[in-house]
PDB file of all heavy atoms in Angstrom:
ATOM      1  N   GLU A  13      83.746 114.292  61.393  1.00 91.00           N
ATOM      2  CA  GLU A  13      84.298 114.738  60.104  1.00 91.00           C
ATOM      3  C   GLU A  13      84.419 113.613  59.082  1.00 91.00           C
ATOM      4  O   GLU A  13      85.368 113.527  58.330  1.00 91.00           O
ATOM      5  CB  GLU A  13      85.662 115.410  60.303  1.00 91.00           C
ATOM      6  CG  GLU A  13      85.611 116.639  61.183  1.00 91.00           C
ATOM      7  CD  GLU A  13      84.588 117.653  60.716  1.00 91.00           C
ATOM      8  OE1 GLU A  13      84.420 117.818  59.492  1.00 91.00           O
ATOM      9  OE2 GLU A  13      83.923 118.265  61.572  1.00 91.00           O
ATOM     10  N   GLY A  14      83.405 112.758  59.061  1.00 92.00           N
ATOM     11  CA  GLY A  14      83.378 111.662  58.104  1.00 92.00           C
ATOM     12  C   GLY A  14      83.820 110.360  58.728  1.00 92.00           C
ATOM     13  O   GLY A  14      84.882 110.282  59.346  1.00 92.00           O
ATOM     14  N   THR A  15      83.013 109.320  58.563  1.00 95.00           N
ATOM     15  CA  THR A  15      83.355 108.016  59.125  1.00 95.00           C
ATOM     16  C   THR A  15      84.573 107.440  58.409  1.00 95.00           C
ATOM     17  O   THR A  15      84.966 107.882  57.333  1.00 95.00           O
ATOM     18  CB  THR A  15      82.187 107.036  58.968  1.00 95.00           C
ATOM     19  OG1 THR A  15      81.934 106.840  57.563  1.00 95.00           O
ATOM     20  CG2 THR A  15      80.932 107.564  59.637  1.00 95.00           C
ATOM     21  N   THR A  16      85.144 106.413  59.015  1.00 96.00           N
ATOM     22  CA  THR A  16      86.312 105.771  58.412  1.00 96.00           C
ATOM     23  C   THR A  16      85.977 105.225  57.027  1.00 96.00           C
ATOM     24  O   THR A  16      86.794 105.308  56.098  1.00 96.00           O
ATOM     25  CB  THR A  16      86.822 104.641  59.324  1.00 96.00           C
ATOM     26  OG1 THR A  16      87.089 105.194  60.624  1.00 96.00           O
ATOM     27  CG2 THR A  16      88.087 104.017  58.777  1.00 96.00           C
ATOM     28  N   GLY A  17      84.781 104.669  56.875  1.00 96.00           N
ATOM     29  CA  GLY A  17      84.379 104.162  55.575  1.00 96.00           C
ATOM     30  C   GLY A  17      84.358 105.234  54.507  1.00 96.00           C
ATOM     31  O   GLY A  17      84.779 105.012  53.363  1.00 96.00           O
ATOM     32  N   ILE A  18      83.880 106.408  54.861  1.00 95.00           N
ATOM     33  CA  ILE A  18      83.848 107.527  53.918  1.00 95.00           C
ATOM     34  C   ILE A  18      85.262 107.928  53.517  1.00 95.00           C
ATOM     35  O   ILE A  18      85.545 108.208  52.342  1.00 95.00           O
ATOM     36  CB  ILE A  18      83.092 108.717  54.534  1.00 95.00           C
ATOM     37  CG1 ILE A  18      81.587 108.414  54.558  1.00 95.00           C
ATOM     38  CG2 ILE A  18      83.366 110.013  53.767  1.00 95.00           C
ATOM     39  CD1 ILE A  18      80.755 109.448  55.284  1.00 95.00           C
ATOM     40  N   HIS A  19      86.172 107.924  54.473  1.00 96.00           N
ATOM     41  CA  HIS A  19      87.548 108.317  54.162  1.00 96.00           C
ATOM     42  C   HIS A  19      88.277 107.245  53.356  1.00 96.00           C
ATOM     43  O   HIS A  19      89.180 107.565  52.569  1.00 96.00           O
ATOM     44  CB  HIS A  19      88.298 108.669  55.441  1.00 96.00           C
ATOM     45  CG  HIS A  19      87.892 109.990  55.993  1.00 96.00           C
ATOM     46  ND1 HIS A  19      88.230 111.177  55.392  1.00 96.00           N
ATOM     47  CD2 HIS A  19      87.130 110.326  57.072  1.00 96.00           C
ATOM     48  CE1 HIS A  19      87.716 112.186  56.073  1.00 96.00           C
ATOM     49  NE2 HIS A  19      87.041 111.695  57.096  1.00 96.00           N
ATOM     50  N   GLY A  20      87.886 105.981  53.548  1.00 97.00           N
ATOM     51  CA  GLY A  20      88.434 104.938  52.697  1.00 97.00           C
ATOM     52  C   GLY A  20      88.042 105.149  51.245  1.00 97.00           C
ATOM     53  O   GLY A  20      88.874 105.048  50.330  1.00 97.00           O
ATOM     54  N   ILE A  21      86.778 105.473  51.011  1.00 96.00           N
ATOM     55  CA  ILE A  21      86.291 105.760  49.668  1.00 96.00           C
ATOM     56  C   ILE A  21      86.973 107.002  49.113  1.00 96.00           C
ATOM     57  O   ILE A  21      87.334 107.060  47.930  1.00 96.00           O
ATOM     58  CB  ILE A  21      84.762 105.927  49.683  1.00 96.00           C
ATOM     59  CG1 ILE A  21      84.094 104.589  50.001  1.00 96.00           C
ATOM     60  CG2 ILE A  21      84.249 106.485  48.362  1.00 96.00           C
ATOM     61  CD1 ILE A  21      82.601 104.688  50.251  1.00 96.00           C
ATOM     62  N   ASP A  22      87.165 108.006  49.960  1.00 95.00           N
ATOM     63  CA  ASP A  22      87.822 109.243  49.534  1.00 95.00           C
ATOM     64  C   ASP A  22      89.252 108.959  49.085  1.00 95.00           C
ATOM     65  O   ASP A  22      89.698 109.427  48.028  1.00 95.00           O
ATOM     66  CB  ASP A  22      87.810 110.246  50.683  1.00 95.00           C
ATOM     67  CG  ASP A  22      88.468 111.566  50.314  1.00 95.00           C
ATOM     68  OD1 ASP A  22      88.220 112.053  49.195  1.00 95.00           O
ATOM     69  OD2 ASP A  22      89.222 112.104  51.132  1.00 95.00           O
ATOM     70  N   LEU A  23      89.978 108.161  49.870  1.00 96.00           N
ATOM     71  CA  LEU A  23      91.379 107.870  49.536  1.00 96.00           C
ATOM     72  C   LEU A  23      91.484 107.053  48.256  1.00 96.00           C
ATOM     73  O   LEU A  23      92.191 107.431  47.313  1.00 96.00           O
ATOM     74  CB  LEU A  23      92.049 107.118  50.690  1.00 96.00           C
ATOM     75  CG  LEU A  23      93.498 106.678  50.432  1.00 96.00           C
ATOM     76  CD1 LEU A  23      94.419 107.878  50.290  1.00 96.00           C
ATOM     77  CD2 LEU A  23      93.994 105.759  51.556  1.00 96.00           C
ATOM     78  N   LEU A  24      90.788 105.923  48.219  1.00 96.00           N
ATOM     79  CA  LEU A  24      90.924 105.010  47.085  1.00 96.00           C
ATOM     80  C   LEU A  24      90.178 105.513  45.855  1.00 96.00           C
ATOM     81  O   LEU A  24      90.663 105.369  44.731  1.00 96.00           O
ATOM     82  CB  LEU A  24      90.422 103.620  47.484  1.00 96.00           C
ATOM     83  CG  LEU A  24      90.554 102.521  46.431  1.00 96.00           C
ATOM     84  CD1 LEU A  24      92.002 102.353  45.997  1.00 96.00           C
ATOM     85  CD2 LEU A  24      90.001 101.203  46.972  1.00 96.00           C
ATOM     86  N   GLY A  25      89.004 106.108  46.074  1.00 94.00           N
ATOM     87  CA  GLY A  25      88.174 106.508  44.945  1.00 94.00           C
ATOM     88  C   GLY A  25      88.518 107.844  44.338  1.00 94.00           C
ATOM     89  O   GLY A  25      88.187 108.113  43.177  1.00 94.00           O
ATOM     90  N   ARG A  26      89.211 108.721  45.117  1.00 93.00           N
ATOM     91  CA  ARG A  26      89.496 110.065  44.614  1.00 93.00           C
ATOM     92  C   ARG A  26      90.957 110.470  44.762  1.00 93.00           C
ATOM     93  O   ARG A  26      91.586 110.909  43.800  1.00 93.00           O
ATOM     94  CB  ARG A  26      88.607 111.099  45.332  1.00 93.00           C
ATOM     95  CG  ARG A  26      87.151 111.025  44.921  1.00 93.00           C
ATOM     96  CD  ARG A  26      86.351 112.190  45.496  1.00 93.00           C
ATOM     97  NE  ARG A  26      85.990 111.973  46.892  1.00 93.00           N
ATOM     98  CZ  ARG A  26      84.897 111.324  47.287  1.00 93.00           C
ATOM     99  NH1 ARG A  26      84.076 110.820  46.401  1.00 93.00           N
ATOM    100  NH2 ARG A  26      84.620 111.179  48.561  1.00 93.00           N
ATOM    101  N   LYS A  27      91.493 110.332  45.957  1.00 94.00           N
ATOM    102  CA  LYS A  27      92.802 110.908  46.234  1.00 94.00           C
ATOM    103  C   LYS A  27      93.940 110.187  45.495  1.00 94.00           C
ATOM    104  O   LYS A  27      94.906 110.825  45.061  1.00 94.00           O
ATOM    105  CB  LYS A  27      93.070 110.898  47.745  1.00 94.00           C
ATOM    106  CG  LYS A  27      92.067 111.726  48.551  1.00 94.00           C
ATOM    107  CD  LYS A  27      92.127 113.190  48.171  1.00 94.00           C
ATOM    108  CE  LYS A  27      91.081 114.030  48.873  1.00 94.00           C
ATOM    109  NZ  LYS A  27      91.213 114.056  50.331  1.00 94.00           N
ATOM    110  N   ILE A  28      93.838 108.876  45.352  1.00 94.00           N
ATOM    111  CA  ILE A  28      94.901 108.115  44.685  1.00 94.00           C
ATOM    112  C   ILE A  28      95.050 108.527  43.224  1.00 94.00           C
ATOM    113  O   ILE A  28      96.167 108.590  42.690  1.00 94.00           O
ATOM    114  CB  ILE A  28      94.622 106.599  44.789  1.00 94.00           C
ATOM    115  CG1 ILE A  28      94.786 106.114  46.237  1.00 94.00           C
ATOM    116  CG2 ILE A  28      95.533 105.812  43.856  1.00 94.00           C
ATOM    117  CD1 ILE A  28      96.185 106.239  46.772  1.00 94.00           C
ATOM    118  N   ILE A  29      93.926 108.833  42.578  1.00 90.00           N
ATOM    119  CA  ILE A  29      93.976 109.108  41.137  1.00 90.00           C
ATOM    120  C   ILE A  29      94.025 110.595  40.807  1.00 90.00           C
ATOM    121  O   ILE A  29      94.195 110.960  39.639  1.00 90.00           O
ATOM    122  CB  ILE A  29      92.764 108.477  40.420  1.00 90.00           C
ATOM    123  CG1 ILE A  29      91.452 109.036  40.986  1.00 90.00           C
ATOM    124  CG2 ILE A  29      92.804 106.960  40.555  1.00 90.00           C
ATOM    125  CD1 ILE A  29      90.213 108.555  40.255  1.00 90.00           C
ATOM    126  N   MET A  30      93.897 111.478  41.810  1.00 88.00           N
ATOM    127  CA  MET A  30      93.850 112.900  41.495  1.00 88.00           C
ATOM    128  C   MET A  30      95.180 113.355  40.887  1.00 88.00           C
ATOM    129  O   MET A  30      96.251 112.869  41.241  1.00 88.00           O
ATOM    130  CB  MET A  30      93.516 113.722  42.747  1.00 88.00           C
ATOM    131  CG  MET A  30      94.550 113.729  43.824  1.00 88.00           C
ATOM    132  SD  MET A  30      94.011 114.709  45.253  1.00 88.00           S
ATOM    133  CE  MET A  30      95.427 114.482  46.331  1.00 88.00           C
ATOM    134  N   GLY A  31      95.054 114.270  39.954  1.00 85.00           N
ATOM    135  CA  GLY A  31      96.244 114.776  39.283  1.00 85.00           C
ATOM    136  C   GLY A  31      96.989 113.712  38.511  1.00 85.00           C
ATOM    137  O   GLY A  31      98.212 113.795  38.346  1.00 85.00           O
ATOM    138  N   GLY A  32      96.250 112.688  38.059  1.00 88.00           N
ATOM    139  CA  GLY A  32      96.908 111.613  37.329  1.00 88.00           C
ATOM    140  C   GLY A  32      97.796 110.751  38.208  1.00 88.00           C
ATOM    141  O   GLY A  32      98.727 110.096  37.726  1.00 88.00           O
ATOM    142  N   GLY A  33      97.513 110.734  39.508  1.00 92.00           N
ATOM    143  CA  GLY A  33      98.306 109.932  40.438  1.00 92.00           C
ATOM    144  C   GLY A  33      99.554 110.618  40.942  1.00 92.00           C
ATOM    145  O   GLY A  33     100.406 109.992  41.587  1.00 92.00           O
ATOM    146  N   ILE A  34      99.665 111.927  40.715  1.00 94.00           N
ATOM    147  CA  ILE A  34     100.889 112.642  41.081  1.00 94.00           C
ATOM    148  C   ILE A  34     101.121 112.663  42.589  1.00 94.00           C
ATOM    149  O   ILE A  34     102.257 112.554  43.061  1.00 94.00           O
ATOM    150  CB  ILE A  34     100.868 114.080  40.508  1.00 94.00           C
ATOM    151  CG1 ILE A  34     102.220 114.767  40.750  1.00 94.00           C
ATOM    152  CG2 ILE A  34      99.732 114.908  41.112  1.00 94.00           C
ATOM    153  CD1 ILE A  34     102.332 116.116  40.069  1.00 94.00           C
ATOM    154  N   ALA A  35     100.044 112.758  43.366  1.00 94.00           N
ATOM    155  CA  ALA A  35     100.203 112.808  44.821  1.00 94.00           C
ATOM    156  C   ALA A  35     100.683 111.462  45.359  1.00 94.00           C
ATOM    157  O   ALA A  35     101.545 111.401  46.242  1.00 94.00           O
ATOM    158  CB  ALA A  35      98.894 113.208  45.486  1.00 94.00           C
ATOM    159  N   PHE A  36     100.123 110.380  44.822  1.00 96.00           N
ATOM    160  CA  PHE A  36     100.549 109.049  45.265  1.00 96.00           C
ATOM    161  C   PHE A  36     102.017 108.814  44.925  1.00 96.00           C
ATOM    162  O   PHE A  36     102.778 108.267  45.728  1.00 96.00           O
ATOM    163  CB  PHE A  36      99.671 107.977  44.630  1.00 96.00           C
ATOM    164  CG  PHE A  36      99.998 106.575  45.080  1.00 96.00           C
ATOM    165  CD1 PHE A  36      99.748 106.173  46.387  1.00 96.00           C
ATOM    166  CD2 PHE A  36     100.574 105.661  44.210  1.00 96.00           C
ATOM    167  CE1 PHE A  36     100.052 104.883  46.815  1.00 96.00           C
ATOM    168  CE2 PHE A  36     100.889 104.380  44.613  1.00 96.00           C
ATOM    169  CZ  PHE A  36     100.623 103.983  45.920  1.00 96.00           C
ATOM    170  N   ARG A  37     102.428 109.255  43.744  1.00 96.00           N
ATOM    171  CA  ARG A  37     103.834 109.113  43.367  1.00 96.00           C
ATOM    172  C   ARG A  37     104.726 109.951  44.278  1.00 96.00           C
ATOM    173  O   ARG A  37     105.818 109.514  44.670  1.00 96.00           O
ATOM    174  CB  ARG A  37     104.035 109.517  41.902  1.00 96.00           C
ATOM    175  CG  ARG A  37     103.466 108.526  40.909  1.00 96.00           C
ATOM    176  CD  ARG A  37     103.989 108.791  39.506  1.00 96.00           C
ATOM    177  NE  ARG A  37     103.605 110.097  39.003  1.00 96.00           N
ATOM    178  CZ  ARG A  37     102.452 110.345  38.377  1.00 96.00           C
ATOM    179  NH1 ARG A  37     101.565 109.369  38.202  1.00 96.00           N
ATOM    180  NH2 ARG A  37     102.176 111.556  37.921  1.00 96.00           N
ATOM    181  N   ALA A  38     104.262 111.156  44.612  1.00 95.00           N
ATOM    182  CA  ALA A  38     105.047 112.015  45.502  1.00 95.00           C
ATOM    183  C   ALA A  38     105.199 111.364  46.877  1.00 95.00           C
ATOM    184  O   ALA A  38     106.283 111.414  47.484  1.00 95.00           O
ATOM    185  CB  ALA A  38     104.380 113.379  45.635  1.00 95.00           C
ATOM    186  N   PHE A  39     104.125 110.747  47.362  1.00 97.00           N
ATOM    187  CA  PHE A  39     104.191 110.058  48.654  1.00 97.00           C
ATOM    188  C   PHE A  39     105.189 108.912  48.610  1.00 97.00           C
ATOM    189  O   PHE A  39     106.052 108.776  49.496  1.00 97.00           O
ATOM    190  CB  PHE A  39     102.807 109.536  49.038  1.00 97.00           C
ATOM    191  CG  PHE A  39     102.818 108.534  50.160  1.00 97.00           C
ATOM    192  CD1 PHE A  39     103.018 108.939  51.470  1.00 97.00           C
ATOM    193  CD2 PHE A  39     102.655 107.174  49.898  1.00 97.00           C
ATOM    194  CE1 PHE A  39     103.047 108.006  52.508  1.00 97.00           C
ATOM    195  CE2 PHE A  39     102.686 106.245  50.922  1.00 97.00           C
ATOM    196  CZ  PHE A  39     102.882 106.661  52.225  1.00 97.00           C
ATOM    197  N   THR A  40     105.101 108.073  47.592  1.00 97.00           N
ATOM    198  CA  THR A  40     106.017 106.929  47.517  1.00 97.00           C
ATOM    199  C   THR A  40     107.464 107.385  47.355  1.00 97.00           C
ATOM    200  O   THR A  40     108.387 106.741  47.877  1.00 97.00           O
ATOM    201  CB  THR A  40     105.621 105.997  46.358  1.00 97.00           C
ATOM    202  OG1 THR A  40     105.632 106.716  45.119  1.00 97.00           O
ATOM    203  CG2 THR A  40     104.241 105.407  46.582  1.00 97.00           C
ATOM    204  N   GLU A  41     107.670 108.498  46.668  1.00 96.00           N
ATOM    205  CA  GLU A  41     109.021 109.038  46.528  1.00 96.00           C
ATOM    206  C   GLU A  41     109.561 109.526  47.868  1.00 96.00           C
ATOM    207  O   GLU A  41     110.749 109.355  48.173  1.00 96.00           O
ATOM    208  CB  GLU A  41     109.034 110.175  45.507  1.00 96.00           C
ATOM    209  CG  GLU A  41     108.892 109.695  44.068  1.00 96.00           C
ATOM    210  CD  GLU A  41     108.686 110.835  43.088  1.00 96.00           C
ATOM    211  OE1 GLU A  41     108.762 112.012  43.529  1.00 96.00           O
ATOM    212  OE2 GLU A  41     108.436 110.561  41.904  1.00 96.00           O
ATOM    213  N   GLU A  42     108.706 110.133  48.691  1.00 96.00           N
ATOM    214  CA  GLU A  42     109.131 110.585  50.014  1.00 96.00           C
ATOM    215  C   GLU A  42     109.533 109.402  50.897  1.00 96.00           C
ATOM    216  O   GLU A  42     110.547 109.442  51.602  1.00 96.00           O
ATOM    217  CB  GLU A  42     107.994 111.368  50.683  1.00 96.00           C
ATOM    218  CG  GLU A  42     107.831 112.777  50.179  1.00 96.00           C
ATOM    219  CD  GLU A  42     108.920 113.693  50.695  1.00 96.00           C
ATOM    220  OE1 GLU A  42     108.908 114.047  51.883  1.00 96.00           O
ATOM    221  OE2 GLU A  42     109.819 114.033  49.893  1.00 96.00           O
ATOM    222  N   VAL A  43     108.721 108.344  50.865  1.00 98.00           N
ATOM    223  CA  VAL A  43     109.044 107.152  51.649  1.00 98.00           C
ATOM    224  C   VAL A  43     110.343 106.526  51.138  1.00 98.00           C
ATOM    225  O   VAL A  43     111.216 106.144  51.930  1.00 98.00           O
ATOM    226  CB  VAL A  43     107.890 106.134  51.590  1.00 98.00           C
ATOM    227  CG1 VAL A  43     108.243 104.891  52.413  1.00 98.00           C
ATOM    228  CG2 VAL A  43     106.592 106.754  52.124  1.00 98.00           C
ATOM    229  N   SER A  44     110.476 106.437  49.820  1.00 97.00           N
ATOM    230  CA  SER A  44     111.688 105.851  49.221  1.00 97.00           C
ATOM    231  C   SER A  44     112.926 106.666  49.575  1.00 97.00           C
ATOM    232  O   SER A  44     114.019 106.110  49.780  1.00 97.00           O
ATOM    233  CB  SER A  44     111.531 105.762  47.703  1.00 97.00           C
ATOM    234  OG  SER A  44     110.468 104.885  47.355  1.00 97.00           O
ATOM    235  N   LYS A  45     112.763 107.987  49.668  1.00 97.00           N
ATOM    236  CA  LYS A  45     113.887 108.847  50.043  1.00 97.00           C
ATOM    237  C   LYS A  45     114.377 108.508  51.455  1.00 97.00           C
ATOM    238  O   LYS A  45     115.590 108.457  51.714  1.00 97.00           O
ATOM    239  CB  LYS A  45     113.466 110.313  49.973  1.00 97.00           C
ATOM    240  CG  LYS A  45     114.605 111.304  50.146  1.00 97.00           C
ATOM    241  CD  LYS A  45     114.106 112.716  50.401  1.00 97.00           C
ATOM    242  CE  LYS A  45     113.102 113.173  49.378  1.00 97.00           C
ATOM    243  NZ  LYS A  45     112.624 114.560  49.632  1.00 97.00           N
ATOM    244  N   THR A  46     113.443 108.259  52.367  1.00 97.00           N
ATOM    245  CA  THR A  46     113.813 107.885  53.737  1.00 97.00           C
ATOM    246  C   THR A  46     114.515 106.536  53.754  1.00 97.00           C
ATOM    247  O   THR A  46     115.524 106.347  54.451  1.00 97.00           O
ATOM    248  CB  THR A  46     112.560 107.844  54.630  1.00 97.00           C
ATOM    249  OG1 THR A  46     111.895 109.109  54.584  1.00 97.00           O
ATOM    250  CG2 THR A  46     112.917 107.515  56.067  1.00 97.00           C
ATOM    251  N   ILE A  47     113.992 105.588  52.975  1.00 98.00           N
ATOM    252  CA  ILE A  47     114.598 104.256  52.894  1.00 98.00           C
ATOM    253  C   ILE A  47     116.019 104.349  52.338  1.00 98.00           C
ATOM    254  O   ILE A  47     116.947 103.703  52.846  1.00 98.00           O
ATOM    255  CB  ILE A  47     113.727 103.331  52.021  1.00 98.00           C
ATOM    256  CG1 ILE A  47     112.359 103.092  52.701  1.00 98.00           C
ATOM    257  CG2 ILE A  47     114.429 102.007  51.757  1.00 98.00           C
ATOM    258  CD1 ILE A  47     111.343 102.410  51.809  1.00 98.00           C
ATOM    259  N   LYS A  48     116.198 105.167  51.323  1.00 97.00           N
ATOM    260  CA  LYS A  48     117.519 105.336  50.708  1.00 97.00           C
ATOM    261  C   LYS A  48     118.504 105.968  51.693  1.00 97.00           C
ATOM    262  O   LYS A  48     119.673 105.570  51.774  1.00 97.00           O
ATOM    263  CB  LYS A  48     117.401 106.208  49.458  1.00 97.00           C
ATOM    264  CG  LYS A  48     118.699 106.356  48.690  1.00 97.00           C
ATOM    265  CD  LYS A  48     118.490 107.159  47.410  1.00 97.00           C
ATOM    266  CE  LYS A  48     119.794 107.293  46.624  1.00 97.00           C
ATOM    267  NZ  LYS A  48     119.594 108.088  45.378  1.00 97.00           N
ATOM    268  N   LYS A  49     118.031 106.940  52.468  1.00 96.00           N
ATOM    269  CA  LYS A  49     118.899 107.602  53.453  1.00 96.00           C
ATOM    270  C   LYS A  49     119.395 106.593  54.483  1.00 96.00           C
ATOM    271  O   LYS A  49     120.585 106.600  54.857  1.00 96.00           O
ATOM    272  CB  LYS A  49     118.127 108.726  54.151  1.00 96.00           C
ATOM    273  CG  LYS A  49     118.949 109.522  55.160  1.00 96.00           C
ATOM    274  CD  LYS A  49     118.137 110.648  55.771  1.00 96.00           C
ATOM    275  CE  LYS A  49     118.933 111.442  56.785  1.00 96.00           C
ATOM    276  NZ  LYS A  49     120.066 112.170  56.188  1.00 96.00           N
ATOM    277  N   VAL A  50     118.508 105.719  54.927  1.00 96.00           N
ATOM    278  CA  VAL A  50     118.896 104.683  55.887  1.00 96.00           C
ATOM    279  C   VAL A  50     119.945 103.759  55.275  1.00 96.00           C
ATOM    280  O   VAL A  50     120.952 103.415  55.912  1.00 96.00           O
ATOM    281  CB  VAL A  50     117.640 103.888  56.314  1.00 96.00           C
ATOM    282  CG1 VAL A  50     118.040 102.570  56.952  1.00 96.00           C
ATOM    283  CG2 VAL A  50     116.803 104.703  57.289  1.00 96.00           C
ATOM    284  N   LYS A  51     119.709 103.359  54.049  1.00 94.00           N
ATOM    285  CA  LYS A  51     120.608 102.414  53.374  1.00 94.00           C
ATOM    286  C   LYS A  51     122.014 102.987  53.198  1.00 94.00           C
ATOM    287  O   LYS A  51     123.018 102.269  53.322  1.00 94.00           O
ATOM    288  CB  LYS A  51     120.014 102.040  52.021  1.00 94.00           C
ATOM    289  CG  LYS A  51     120.800 100.986  51.259  1.00 94.00           C
ATOM    290  CD  LYS A  51     120.104 100.622  49.959  1.00 94.00           C
ATOM    291  CE  LYS A  51     120.885  99.554  49.196  1.00 94.00           C
ATOM    292  NZ  LYS A  51     120.221  99.201  47.919  1.00 94.00           N
ATOM    293  N   LEU A  52     122.085 104.288  52.941  1.00 94.00           N
ATOM    294  CA  LEU A  52     123.373 104.904  52.642  1.00 94.00           C
ATOM    295  C   LEU A  52     124.074 105.480  53.864  1.00 94.00           C
ATOM    296  O   LEU A  52     125.304 105.511  53.917  1.00 94.00           O
ATOM    297  CB  LEU A  52     123.184 106.018  51.600  1.00 94.00           C
ATOM    298  CG  LEU A  52     122.716 105.575  50.212  1.00 94.00           C
ATOM    299  CD1 LEU A  52     122.508 106.790  49.327  1.00 94.00           C
ATOM    300  CD2 LEU A  52     123.708 104.608  49.579  1.00 94.00           C
ATOM    301  N   GLU A  53     123.289 105.942  54.853  1.00 94.00           N
ATOM    302  CA  GLU A  53     123.887 106.720  55.934  1.00 94.00           C
ATOM    303  C   GLU A  53     123.746 106.111  57.323  1.00 94.00           C
ATOM    304  O   GLU A  53     124.536 106.428  58.215  1.00 94.00           O
ATOM    305  CB  GLU A  53     123.286 108.138  55.939  1.00 94.00           C
ATOM    306  CG  GLU A  53     123.502 108.903  54.640  1.00 94.00           C
ATOM    307  CD  GLU A  53     122.847 110.272  54.677  1.00 94.00           C
ATOM    308  OE1 GLU A  53     122.643 110.812  55.785  1.00 94.00           O
ATOM    309  OE2 GLU A  53     122.527 110.799  53.603  1.00 94.00           O
ATOM    310  N   VAL A  54     122.728 105.286  57.541  1.00 96.00           N
ATOM    311  CA  VAL A  54     122.500 104.729  58.882  1.00 96.00           C
ATOM    312  C   VAL A  54     122.324 103.223  58.741  1.00 96.00           C
ATOM    313  O   VAL A  54     121.215 102.693  58.787  1.00 96.00           O
ATOM    314  CB  VAL A  54     121.256 105.359  59.555  1.00 96.00           C
ATOM    315  CG1 VAL A  54     121.253 105.052  61.054  1.00 96.00           C
ATOM    316  CG2 VAL A  54     121.202 106.859  59.335  1.00 96.00           C
ATOM    317  N   LEU A  55     123.415 102.533  58.549  1.00 95.00           N
ATOM    318  CA  LEU A  55     123.374 101.117  58.192  1.00 95.00           C
ATOM    319  C   LEU A  55     122.707 100.255  59.268  1.00 95.00           C
ATOM    320  O   LEU A  55     122.146  99.207  58.965  1.00 95.00           O
ATOM    321  CB  LEU A  55     124.795 100.611  57.923  1.00 95.00           C
ATOM    322  CG  LEU A  55     125.523 101.265  56.736  1.00 95.00           C
ATOM    323  CD1 LEU A  55     126.912 100.655  56.575  1.00 95.00           C
ATOM    324  CD2 LEU A  55     124.714 101.117  55.458  1.00 95.00           C
TER     325      LEU A  55
END
């Protein structure tokens, strides 16, 4: 289902910029939400 090289091009060349970068921002927000939960609730 596509070599690793093809998926690297897919991620960097297409997926990062799709929707004006909305998906990448959503991903970073999800990760940041987990980091914030740890900081506030699980010291």
